[in-house]
Amino acid sequence: MTTISVALGARSYDVRIEPGLLARAGEVLAPLSRGRPMPIVTDTNLAAHCETLVASLAAAGVSAPVLTLPAGESTKSWAQLEALTDWLLAQGVVRSDHVIALGGGVIGDLVGFATSILKRGCNFVQIPTTLLAQVDSSVGGKTAINSKAGKNLIGAFHQPAVVLIDPQVLDTLPQRELRAGYAEVAKYGLIDDAGFFAWCEGNAAALFAGDPQARAHAIGHSVAAKARIVAADERETTGTRALLNLGHTFGHALEAETGFSDKLLHGEAVAAGMALAFAFSAEQGLCPAEDAARVAAHLRAVGLPDGLAAAGVTADGATLVGHMLHDKKMEGSTLPFLLARAIGRTYLDKTVDLEKVAAFLDGQTA
Ligand SMILES: NC(=O)c1ccc[n+]([C@@H]2O[C@H](COP(=O)([O-])OP(=O)(O)OC[C@H]3O[C@@H](n4cnc5c(N)ncnc54)[C@H](O)[C@@H]3O)[C@@H](O)[C@H]2O)c1
Ligand SMILES: [Zn+2]
């Protein structure tokens, strides 16, 4: 078992990573239950994993009522938040209880937010089941639902009590979802760890083939990176946590252009966005062209989009920049961008000229 602690003073918690952990979750979680039930919230694609979890809790003497919500992004809604909080209240949940989120980022974000407001805040446990949730969304305490005005606009910071990661649950995850989550793994290397990016280049094939060691290393390294960044800047006030948004401003424009639909998954948009951030940095003379080419080549090698064309986006620069202006990271009239000096050396630039960005994007589609 690898244990990584997220050091946040009174809100500190452990992330435990171990193949087969889901079947042993009961013994790990029983001390937290203190004789009380632990309600599980999951989605319709996770029935088999949920059975494993319920059986493990039962064997440890913990009863676990289950609420199964529809799979998909549309579950991060006011309607499902209401359904979930009504159900938790009907279960008689009190503030010291722990609610389990078993699923990807959708279930984790929804349950995290619901428990941040239920009885003015109760506890929750993350058991992430997608690669994206294991390496990114389950750690760090950002929780949210979507509103008509945009994604993740209604939410709270609410840290889990513990995160349990079983890399084996990824065996049932569709390859496309695995690839999309992998974009966030490679991101940690590109942000500030060139050595890890080189590891990714050498080991991605093994990871995709299901090699348990490659998966455990990628997850452990990513979680440790996220834990370090979150501990330094829990609420994204100093700029450190903003580094995690590498590729996300360009990516957000691509997601908006494709209607936040299955045409382009979040991780796919982030992959294309990271390639664009490096290409733009190279064009501006900030970063060696070889580094931008290396980023694009690795993303292509694992089957992720490496730019606008591969992401299936044909919109012009002005349209895409228009989408960026709706981004919640807008600060007055400037939009902070994460740019690169090299692989593993990214920084937040608040002086980027949006006309240059539009011209660069026009050059990409020409
Ligand atoms: N809180 C954060 O810090 C943070 C960070 C990044 C992303 N997010 C959010 O995460 C969400 C995306 O998360 P996601 O990519 O995990 O999507 P998701 O939760 O929708 O899961 C993707 C799909 O995989 C299915 N699935 C999950 N685990 C499975 C498994 N083991 N086997 C088979 N199928 C499985 C799900 O049912 C779903 O259909 C977005 O809403 C995004 O805003 C949050
Ligand atoms: Zn992301």
Side-chain angles (χ1 to χ4, degrees):
M1 168 116 60
T2 303
T3 301
I4 293 158
S5 52
V6 186
L8 292 169
R11 294 179 307 290
S12 297
Y13 53 96
D14 285 345
V15 182
R16 297 178 174 218
I17 307 167
E18 186 183 72
L21 185 55
L22 189 65
R24 298 205 309 103
E27 61 190 79
V28 177
L29 295 178
L32 288 181
S33 85
R34 302 193 326 272
R36 298 272 303 161
M38 295 185 96
I40 299 170
V41 184
T42 191
D43 79 31
T44 44
N45 289 330
L46 290 161
H49 294 308
C50 191
E51 264 178 47
T52 303
L53 177 60
V54 169
S56 169
L57 287 162
V62 180
S63 77
V66 176
L67 177 66
T68 304
L69 297 173
E73 184 70 27
S74 58
T75 287
K76 279 175 54 172
S77 64
W78 283 109
Q80 295 296 349
L81 178 70
E82 183 176 18
L84 170 55
T85 47
D86 282 347
W87 181 76
L88 292 172
L89 292 171
Q91 299 303 313
V93 168
V94 298
R95 290 184 67 190
S96 55
D97 286 348
H98 292 73
V99 178
I100 301 174
L102 175 72
V106 165
I107 292 295
D109 277 14
L110 176 70
V111 173
F113 184 45
T115 53
S116 81
I117 53 177
L118 194 87
K119 302 270 175 93
R120 300 195 181 84
C122 67
N123 305 301
F124 81 119
V125 171
Q126 289 270 22
I127 307 188
T129 62
T130 63
L131 183 58
L132 180 134
Q134 293 187 343
V135 301
D136 190 358
S137 62
S138 67
V139 177
K142 279 192 180 177
T143 75
I145 60 170
N146 303 325
S147 88
K148 284 192 210 85
K151 276 191 68 180
N152 296 325
L153 294 179
I154 315 289
F157 284 96
H158 186 46
Q159 302 291 347
V162 66
V163 183
L164 304 186
I165 298 180
D166 181 349
Q168 274 174 10
V169 302
L170 300 179
D171 290 348
T172 58
L173 189 68
Q175 276 286 320
R176 187 180 173 199
E177 295 287 350
L178 191 69
R179 263 202 306 274
Y182 177 79
E184 308 275 6
V185 172
K187 182 185 78 178
Y188 293 109
L190 295 177
I191 291 173
D192 66 356
D193 191 343
F196 182 59
F197 186 73
W199 182 90
C200 287
E201 291 175 310
N203 294 275
L207 185 153
F208 283 104
D211 180 283
Q213 266 163 357
R215 283 190 179 174
H217 181 81
I219 295 165
H221 197 93
S222 300
V223 168
K226 178 130 189 202
R228 177 170 43 78
I229 290 171
V230 167
D233 182 18
E234 183 182 12
R235 288 177 173 250
E236 206 167 319
T237 46
T238 66
T240 304
R241 189 166 180 166
L243 292 175
L244 294 169
N245 295 327
L246 177 64
H248 282 61
T249 301
F250 285 105
H252 177 91
L254 307 185
E255 286 184 281
E257 182 61 24
T258 48
F260 292 96
S261 68
D262 288 353
K263 275 188 213 153
L264 193 65
L265 299 179
H266 173 74
E268 293 168 343
V270 168
M274 294 191 300
L276 290 168
F278 270 80
F280 179 69
S281 302
E283 193 195 74
Q284 298 299 304
L286 300 163
C287 151
E290 309 87 83
D291 282 30
R294 219 178 118 192
V295 172
H298 179 55
L299 296 172
R300 264 196 316 277
V302 299
L304 282 165
D306 64 347
L308 290 183
V313 170
T314 53
D316 65 7
T319 305
L320 293 172
V321 167
H323 292 312
M324 292 175 191
L325 295 176
H326 288 108
D327 196 304
K328 65 182 182 300
K329 287 173 277 295
M330 210 46 207
E331 286 178 12
S333 61
T334 68
L335 185 58
F337 274 84
L338 282 151
L339 299 182
R341 293 197 177 88
I343 286 172
R345 283 181 61 210
T346 53
Y347 70 102
L348 193 62
D349 193 326
K350 296 189 176 179
T351 63
V352 175
D353 178 347
L354 291 176
E355 281 180 18
K356 280 189 186 162
V357 176
F360 159 76
L361 290 168
D362 282 335
Q364 298 287 303
T365 44

